[in-house]
């Protein structure tokens, strides 16, 4: 939870993959409801597939019948931590502490939209650039840069084509670059 400059509260739903330590989502809203949880989880399950289980606190947005029934229908088990036992959700608590220390404590958010944009930017940095000691000081999802292959002269391509044709005894046609 945090506030915009005008004092209005906003809440954040953070989703962490316990295995990779990657932050899959930070959903920012003035109020979080079970429908918000369902929307975020639906998007994540479509992108990554459903997990074996979800660990969360006992907040109303997580224990709502709609969320529990939906998770049960798709075969995802729920692991609710005991009230007053944040160590049972250590990865998420650690992440939330880093989010607070590295971003929230140093920013004044003038609007909710600004908070959404800066928090998402920080999430991307956390996943792709920021080193994690538990991962050998590497980020959980580093960005990769794919270099375009150098353009080969036509004669080289033609020779490669001939070699492929001879090896596979197939018809292969390569046009000019």
């Amino acid at each position: 939870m945090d506030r915009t400059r005008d004092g209005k509260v906003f809440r954040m739903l953070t989703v962490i993959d316990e295995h990779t330590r990657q932050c899959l989502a930070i959903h920012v809203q003035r109020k979080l409801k079970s429908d918000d949880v369902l929307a975020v989880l639906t998007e994540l399950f479509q992108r990554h597939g459903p997990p074996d289980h979800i660990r969360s606190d006992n907040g109303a947005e997580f224990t709502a019948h709609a969320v529990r029934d939906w998770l049960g229908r798709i075969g995802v088990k729920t692991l609710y931590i005991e009230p007053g036992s944040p160590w049972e959700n250590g990865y998420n608590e650690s992440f939330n502490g880093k989010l607070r220390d590295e971003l929230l404590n140093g920013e004044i958010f003038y609007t909710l939209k600004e908070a959404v944009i800066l928090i998402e930017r920080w999430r991307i940095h956390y996943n792709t650039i920021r080193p994690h000691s538990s991962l050998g000081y590497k980020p959980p999802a580093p960005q990769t840069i794919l270099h375009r292959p150098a353009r080969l002269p036509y004669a080289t391509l033609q020779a490669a084509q001939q070699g492929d044709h001879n090896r596979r005894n197939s018809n292969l046609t390569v046009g000019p670059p």
Side-chain angles (χ1 to χ4, degrees), residues 32-128:
L32 288 175
K33 300 176 186 161
S34 60
D35 288 344
D36 298 313
V37 172
L38 288 173
V40 170
L41 293 179
T42 298
E43 182 181 330
L44 292 174
F45 291 2
Q46 287 174 347
R47 192 177 327 142
H48 303 283
D52 292 334
H53 68 274
I54 290 179
R55 186 183 322 273
S56 71
D57 64 20
N58 291 292
E61 63 273 11
F62 300 111
T63 59
H65 290 292
V67 174
R68 292 169 45 172
D69 292 346
W70 180 74
L71 290 171
R73 283 194 309 272
I74 60 174
V76 176
K77 297 178 184 90
T78 55
L79 301 172
Y80 296 110
I81 66 170
E82 291 295 320
S85 303
W87 56 85
E88 290 182 9
N89 198 4
Y91 295 124
N92 196 266
E93 292 297 326
S94 175
F95 173 82
N96 290 340
K98 289 173 179 70
L99 173 61
R100 169 93 28 223
D101 292 344
E102 296 175 14
L103 178 70
L104 301 177
N105 286 343
E107 286 291 334
I108 297 173
F109 301 110
Y110 288 88
T111 65
L112 183 63
K113 183 69 172 174
E114 179 185 23
V116 169
I117 291 168
L118 292 178
I119 290 168
E120 178 61 14
R121 184 182 298 165
W122 183 86
R123 185 187 75 82
I124 291 168
H125 173 23
Y126 177 88
N127 285 336
T128 60

Side-chain angles (χ1 to χ4, degrees), residues 121-169:
R121 184 182 298 165
W122 183 86
R123 185 187 75 82
I124 291 168
H125 173 23
Y126 177 88
N127 285 336
T128 60
I129 298 170
R130 183 187 180 281
H132 296 240
S133 60
S134 63
L135 300 173
Y137 295 95
K138 296 176 185 168
Q143 288 182 334
T144 57
I145 300 171
L146 297 175
H147 296 285
R148 292 180 57 181
R151 293 192 64 134
L152 298 173
Y154 180 70
T156 305
L157 290 173
Q158 194 173 22
Q161 173 187 354
Q162 189 60 39
D164 284 345
H165 175 73
N166 291 340
R167 275 194 301 276
R168 293 183 293 156
N169 196 17

